């Protein structure tokens, strides 16, 4: 059983930064960050596969968000810079043993999910 625990959410003004963390019980998983705003579907934000593969990003966050992993700490991060009000959502980390590169943003590809952490961007 894979367990994930997110933290680091909060409220920030537009243009600000936050770093989300997700402690994962183990290594060698495909990992992803998703978000869901009220009334909207859950969407993939970024994904990182094991072995140093190039990460994937949603177009609207490319250049502003960075996904990374500290193997020693079994922790996945999402550094979010230049935040916009439209980035406000509940953010989730997700994991599975294998996720195809073309499917990284499909929530059905991930079996294991954290409980989520809220990000609010508002002036």
């Amino acid at each position: 059983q894979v367990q994930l625990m997110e933290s680091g959410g909060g409220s920030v003004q537009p243009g600000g930064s936050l770093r989300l963390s997700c402690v994962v019980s183990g290594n060698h998983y495909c990992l992803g960050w998703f978000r869901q705003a009220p009334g909207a579907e859950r969407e993939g934000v970024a994904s990182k596969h094991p072995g140093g593969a190039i990460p994937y990003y949603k177009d609207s966050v490319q250049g502003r968000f960075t996904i990374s992993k500290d193997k020693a700490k079994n922790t996945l991060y999402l550094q979010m810079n230049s935040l916009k009000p439209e980035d406000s959502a509940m953010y989730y980390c997700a994991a599975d043993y294998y996720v195809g590169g073309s499917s990284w943003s499909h929530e059905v590809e991930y079996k294991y999910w954290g409980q989520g952490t809220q990000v609010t961007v508002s002036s």
Side-chain angles (χ1 to χ4, degrees):
Q1 182 76 16
V2 180
Q3 295 181 325
L4 304 98
M5 179 69 72
E6 304 97 332
S7 62
S11 295
V12 64
Q13 292 186 342
S17 298
L18 284 173
R19 189 178 76 160
L20 305 184
S21 300
C22 175
V23 178
V24 185
S25 61
N27 282 303
H28 310 299
Y29 304 118
C30 294
L31 300 168
W33 284 102
F34 285 74
R35 67 186 182 188
Q36 187 170 23
E41 294 185 353
R42 192 175 299 187
E43 60 180 9
V45 176
S47 178
K48 185 170 178 60
H49 292 189
I54 296 174
Y56 301 95
Y57 293 98
K58 178 180 174 60
D59 287 347
S60 63
V61 309
Q62 181 80 44
R64 299 188 297 123
F65 291 11
T66 303
I67 188 171
S68 63
K69 187 182 178 188
D70 185 329
K71 290 184 179 180
K73 296 182 179 180
N74 283 357
T75 301
L76 180 72
Y77 299 101
L78 184 68
Q79 177 66 44
M80 305 186 294
N81 299 328
S82 302
L83 282 162
K84 305 175 181 180
E86 52 263 41
D87 294 318
S88 297
M90 185 71 79
Y91 281 71
Y92 301 88
C93 66
D96 210 322
Y97 299 104
Y98 175 78
V99 176
S102 60
S103 304
W104 74 268
S105 63
H106 301 172
E107 62 172 307
V108 296
E109 297 291 330
Y110 298 83
K111 181 176 181 180
Y112 304 102
W113 292 83
Q115 84 291 346
T117 186
Q118 179 68 40
V119 171
T120 303
V121 185
S122 172
S123 56

